Each structure stands twice: as structure tokens, then as C-alpha cells.
């Protein structure tokens, strides 16, 4: 896929913005894999009944309207904020002289009224049959959903409200991605993966805040421990920690390890993985180098969380490897994101680095957020009898550069 940047935007983002500004639709997809689906995002400010009819006929669905929290406040609509990852809603309303049964023309009028910044609160009759969604502050960075995507794209295109139509089958279930993409072709709508929009927003949104810095002498070196809070974390105590060695301004490309949290390995010394030994080896190597960072990211279980990791362990005990166990639980093999980590490194003054890793994907992830990895420094740990299969899977199926000997590998027969 072509991701060439144009004027600071990816080509995909530019196509989506231009399509909306010209009155067209954009198909936003959850991803590109089996089970993913999509929704048409439409331009609220210039929406026509004909365009809404076309999108709704392909989507077999009614439109959803999306407001920002400030817009809902300006219109005098109370916001109901769901806990955790649920959707936010605004108070229901109708327009004056609303028809007895909503029509696509009426829904188009609603879109225009919501997108018009001069609309006064008195223009809306409450309660009513229209109940718009409310995008969370930070958009798709805070919640990866079609609602937040519609709000972000509306803002990008210069509209005050978003509209989206989920693509469904005639039975009402989410349509397979192939059907959604075929509908997009017939509508002439560009396709934009949600992950692309998230990456674009992350690159333009400050997600981190320094909250504490202390001296931390340890068994593996003497560091400054700097705590960073991320906007993406609902729990304010769930902070990322940068262990910093030396004056980083004196080193053009300091040694850096980006280590994802592993409670079982890092804290309890589990032999099922190589995480704990990798963390301690990295700390020792940075200590010897005299300058560098060990960045401890709260991305337990390659991003799936502790409970799901333990469930994956249960499946591994039944014979699955670490990749298939994740897939069986409905997760991708690796859900880690390096956008927050990249912002932390930049906040520490790092733009070039020597990266301690065996994982080429980590290099790509950091470089994708504007850091220059000038050297990959291996961090290989000798396998033990409990993690041979895990290490073999990392090398054979996840592309890690481990150079295991035949005697160190364990494969299913």
C-alpha cells in the first residue's frame, strides 16, 4: 500500500480528507484481516439525501451522528459518559417540524444543523428520536471506533460533526471486509484503515506527561527513573518508566532498550519466556555503556494484558504455540504500539539511537514515529528447557533474529 507522505500527511489521509471535502464518502475499515469490517464516513456539512441513500443502501444501515464534547455542550445537549471503553452519547433531540417518520432528507437536515457552528441550542427539541454519539477527547487515539474516526475525519475536513453508516448484510450483521470494499468501489470511496488514522493522530497529539523523576540505584546499574503518564491509560497510576543513564546530550546515538512489561518474567522470574533476563541484561549493557535508556512500557503480554496472557499460557499447555494461542483468543500475535514510547524517547532528547532488540518489527515501529535507528544491537538469551518452544516460535513465526542452534530449538513433530 502506498504510504508516501504529501505535505506532512500520508497519501491515504490526504485522499480521505479530499474525498470528504468534495462531498464524497470514505470507507474506514477496522483492519485488513478476516473478521474485520467497515463503515462509510460521510461529510456532514455538505451531505445530500442522495448520498446518504446510496451509502445506506450499500450499508443496509441507518446513519449515526457524532459530535465532539464541546459541540454537544454548545448545543446544550447533556453527555452520558460510559465507563471503560464504551460509547458516549448525547441527549436525544429532534428538529422543529420533524416528520412523523424519519426520512433520509430529515437525517440530512440533522447533519447540516449539527455541522453548522451557528446553530443555537434552542433549535433542538428535547427529548427526541435522534441520539448522537459523542467522540472522546483525543478521538481515535483514545478510542479506536468508527464514531471517533468519523469525528476525527470531520475535523480534518473542516466540518463540525461526523456521520457514519456501518456496512452490514441484509440480516443486519457486520458485512465481511470484502463486501465492504466492493461497496466502496461502487461508491467511488477511498479506503482508510483505522490504524492509519490512529498513527496519523498519534504523530500529531502529545500523549505523554512527565510526572516524577528519582534516583534509582539497582542491582544492574545506577539510573534516573522518570515516570511518564500517557493519555491512553485510564488508570493514572499505570505509568511508563524510563531508566536513564548519563547525560544523553553527550551521546549522538545512545543505547536504548524498549522493553514491554512482563509481570511473570520480570517480577516472578518465569522460565517460560526470556523477558526477565532480557530486561536485566539490557540494564547492565546500558550501565556499561555509560549513556542510554531502558524504557519500560506497560504493554503486558505483547499488548493483550495479563489475564489474556495467562489464558494464552493455558492454551500453550494444551499444545498451541504463543502465536496460535493469541489467535485462538481473538488477538493478533503482537498488539504492541510504539507511538507512546517514541514520544517518551523524543522527550528525553533522543532522535537517533542504537536499539537493543532481536525484533525487526520494533525497529520499523520506532522509525515509523520519526526516530532513526542507526544500529541494531542483539540481545540474545540462551534458551532453557521451559522456553525452547517459545523461543523457536519467536524465530520461526515472528521473525526475531535469534540464531538458535538445532539443539536449542523445539518444534511440534
Amino acid at each position: 500500500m502506498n504510504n508516501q507522505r504529501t505535505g506532512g500527511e500520508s497519501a491515504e489521509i490526504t485522499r480521505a480528507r479530499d474525498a470528504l471535502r468534495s462531498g464524497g464518502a470514505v470507507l474506514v475499515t477496522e483492519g485488513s484481516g478476516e473478521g474485520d469490517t467497515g463503515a462509510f464516513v460521510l461529510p456532514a456539512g455538505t451531505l445530500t439525501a442522495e448520498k446518504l441513500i446510496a451509502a445506506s443502501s450499500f450499508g443496509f444501515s441507518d446513519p449515526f451522528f457524532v459530535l465532539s464534547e464541546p459541540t454537544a455542550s454548545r448545543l446544550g445537549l447533556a453527555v452520558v459518559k460510559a465507563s471503560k471503553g464504551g460509547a458516549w452519547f448525547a441527549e436525544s433531540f429532534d428538529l422543529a417540524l420533524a416528520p412523523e417518520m424519519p426520512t433520509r432528507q430529515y437525517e440530512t437536515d440533522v447533519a447540516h444543523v449539527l455541522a453548522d457552528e451557528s446553530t443555537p441550542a434552542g433549535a433542538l427539541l428535547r427529548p427526541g428520536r435522534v441520539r448522537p454519539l459523542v467522540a472522546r477527547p483525543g478521538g481515535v487515539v483514545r478510542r479506536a471506533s468508527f464514531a471517533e474516526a468519523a469525528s476525527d475525519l470531520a475535523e480534518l475536513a473542516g466540518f463540525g460533526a461526523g456521520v457514519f453508516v456501518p456496512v452490514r448484510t441484509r440480516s443486519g450483521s457486520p458485512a465481511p471486509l470484502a463486501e465492504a470494499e466492493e461497496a466502496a468501489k461502487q461508491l467511488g470511496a477511498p479506503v482508510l484503515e483505522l490504524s492509519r488514522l490512529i498513527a496519523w493522530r498519534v504523530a500529531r497529539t502529545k500523549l505523554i506527561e512527565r510526572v516524577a523523576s528519582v534516583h534509582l540505584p539497582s542491582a544492574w546499574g545506577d539510573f534516573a527513573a522518570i515516570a511518564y503518564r500517557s493519555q491512553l491509560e485510564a488508570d493514572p497510576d499505570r505509568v511508563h518508566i524510563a531508566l536513564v543513564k548519563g547525560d544523553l546530550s553527550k551521546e549522538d546515538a545512545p543505547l536504548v532498550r524498549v522493553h514491554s512489561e512482563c509481570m511473570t518474567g520480570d517480577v516472578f522470574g518465569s522460565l517460560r519466556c526470556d523477558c526477565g533476563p532480557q530486561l536485566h541484561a539490557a540494564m547492565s549493557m546500558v550501565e556499561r555503556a555509560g549513556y542510554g535508556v531502558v524504557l519500560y512500557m506497560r504493554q503486558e503480554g505483547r499488548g493483550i494484558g495479563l489475564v489474556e496472557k495467562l489464558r494464552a499460557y493455558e492454551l500453550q499447555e494444551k499444545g498451541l504455540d504463543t502465536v496460535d494461542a493469541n489467535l485462538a483468543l481473538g488477538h493478533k500475535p503482537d498488539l504492541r504500539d510504539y507511538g507512546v514510547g517514541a514520544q517518551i524517547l523524543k522527550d528525553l532528547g533522543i532522535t537517533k539511537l542504537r536499539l537493543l532488540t532481536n525484533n525487526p518489527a520494533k525497529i520499523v515501529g520506532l522509525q515509523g514515529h520519526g526516530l532513526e535507528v542507526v544500529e541494531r544491537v542483539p540481545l540474545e538469551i540462551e534458551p532453557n528447557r521451559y522456553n525452547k518452544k517459545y523461543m523457536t516460535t519467536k524465530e520461526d513465526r515472528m521473525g526475531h533474529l535469534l540464531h538458535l542452534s538445532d539443539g536449542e530449538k523445539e518444534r511440534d513433530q
Side-chain angles (χ1 to χ4, degrees):
M1 191 172 287
N2 180 10
N3 293 318
Q4 181 181 356
R5 294 195 172 276
T6 305
E9 294 180 358
S10 74
E12 293 160 302
I13 295 293
T14 300
R15 284 195 294 270
R17 181 203 63 198
D18 291 349
L20 292 174
R21 285 181 176 174
S22 63
V26 175
L27 177 68
V28 175
T29 66
E30 294 174 323
S32 56
E34 185 177 349
D36 289 325
T37 186
F40 287 116
V41 173
L42 298 160
T46 59
L47 187 63
T48 65
E50 291 74 20
K51 292 171 185 174
L52 184 54
I53 290 169
S56 300
S57 64
F58 282 117
F60 298 106
S61 177
D62 292 328
F64 288 82
F65 305 98
V66 189
L67 307 176
S68 67
E69 193 172 9
T71 297
S73 177
R74 175 177 59 78
L75 293 172
L77 299 175
V79 177
V80 178
K81 299 181 180 181
S83 60
K84 296 184 179 179
W88 290 6
F89 289 90
E91 185 179 3
S92 66
F93 68 88
D94 265 321
L95 303 183
L97 304 177
E100 184 174 341
M101 292 296 294
T103 63
R104 294 299 183 227
Q105 182 59 58
Y106 175 67
E107 291 165 341
T108 300
D109 294 340
V110 168
H112 292 169
V113 167
L114 296 179
D116 186 351
E117 294 185 358
S118 67
T119 299
L124 307 179
L125 306 180
R126 293 165 289 169
R129 292 165 294 181
V130 179
R131 194 178 188 194
L133 295 161
V134 176
R136 297 186 182 221
V140 292
V141 171
R142 293 296 302 273
R143 182 171 181 264
S145 78
F146 293 137
E148 273 69 18
S151 179
D152 283 354
L153 287 172
E155 181 180 352
L156 178 65
F159 299 114
V163 181
F164 72 95
V165 179
V167 183
R168 302 187 186 279
T169 63
R170 291 184 182 276
S171 65
S173 59
L177 186 59
E179 291 185 18
E181 290 177 336
E182 179 58 33
K185 286 182 182 178
Q186 295 186 48
L187 278 180
V191 179
L192 176 65
E193 279 192 29
L194 194 54
S195 62
R196 303 293 192 191
L197 183 58
I198 293 170
W200 181 81
R201 278 297 304 260
V202 165
R204 289 155 180 80
T205 305
K206 186 174 182 182
L207 302 173
I208 59 164
E209 173 191 9
R210 282 198 196 200
V211 291
S213 178
V214 298
H215 174 225
L216 184 70
S218 78
W220 298 280
D222 196 71
F223 302 94
I226 304 175
Y228 283 89
R229 184 174 292 143
S230 167
Q231 290 184 22
L232 303 182
E233 292 290 350
D235 181 356
D237 288 328
R238 188 174 173 82
V239 296
H240 308 291
I241 302 293
L243 299 178
V244 179
K245 180 67 182 180
D247 183 353
L248 299 178
S249 66
K250 295 182 178 180
E251 182 71 15
D252 181 55
L255 191 62
V256 172
R257 167 68 179 170
V258 178
H259 185 93
S260 295
E261 176 185 24
C262 174
M263 178 180 284
T264 51
D266 300 340
V267 177
F268 302 127
S270 169
L271 299 177
R272 300 183 65 135
C273 63
D274 58 346
C275 301
Q278 278 194 321
L279 173 62
H280 302 147
M283 292 171 68
S284 296
M285 293 172 72
V286 169
E287 170 68 21
R288 289 195 298 270
Y291 302 96
V293 177
V294 176
L295 182 54
Y296 195 82
M297 300 295 296
R298 307 299 294 275
Q299 300 186 123
E300 177 71 61
R302 297 198 300 273
I304 68 174
L306 179 59
V307 172
E308 288 296 276
K309 184 178 83 169
L310 294 177
R311 288 173 175 161
Y313 278 175
E314 289 179 330
L315 294 178
Q316 289 173 41
E317 289 177 350
K318 296 176 182 178
L320 297 186
D321 65 27
T322 183
V323 170
D324 287 334
N326 274 29
L327 293 173
L329 291 171
H331 304 297
K332 294 181 179 179
D334 194 336
L335 287 174
R336 288 175 291 186
D337 176 76
Y338 299 105
V340 171
Q343 287 198 7
I344 292 173
L345 293 175
K346 290 177 182 178
D347 187 73
L348 293 169
I350 295 174
T351 56
K352 295 193 292 186
L353 61 139
R354 297 160 53 230
L355 186 63
L356 273 164
T357 187
N358 306 318
N359 184 4
K362 191 174 291 187
I363 298 173
V364 174
L366 291 175
Q367 290 185 152
H369 290 285
L371 293 170
E372 181 182 352
V373 178
V374 300
E375 180 186 0
R376 183 188 74 85
V377 180
L379 187 60
E380 298 189 48
I381 303 298
E382 184 178 350
N384 62 60
R385 66 190 182 97
Y386 297 101
N387 68 15
K388 278 187 176 182
K389 184 174 181 179
Y390 168 78
M391 301 281 279
T392 301
T393 301
K394 285 174 71 173
E395 182 176 59
D396 289 353
R397 300 192 64 187
M398 301 182 73
H400 289 221
L401 307 173
L402 297 179
H403 308 99
L404 300 176
S405 67
D406 289 339
E408 292 173 326
K409 291 188 175 185
E410 179 181 317
R411 296 189 176 95
D412 294 330
Q413 301 299 316

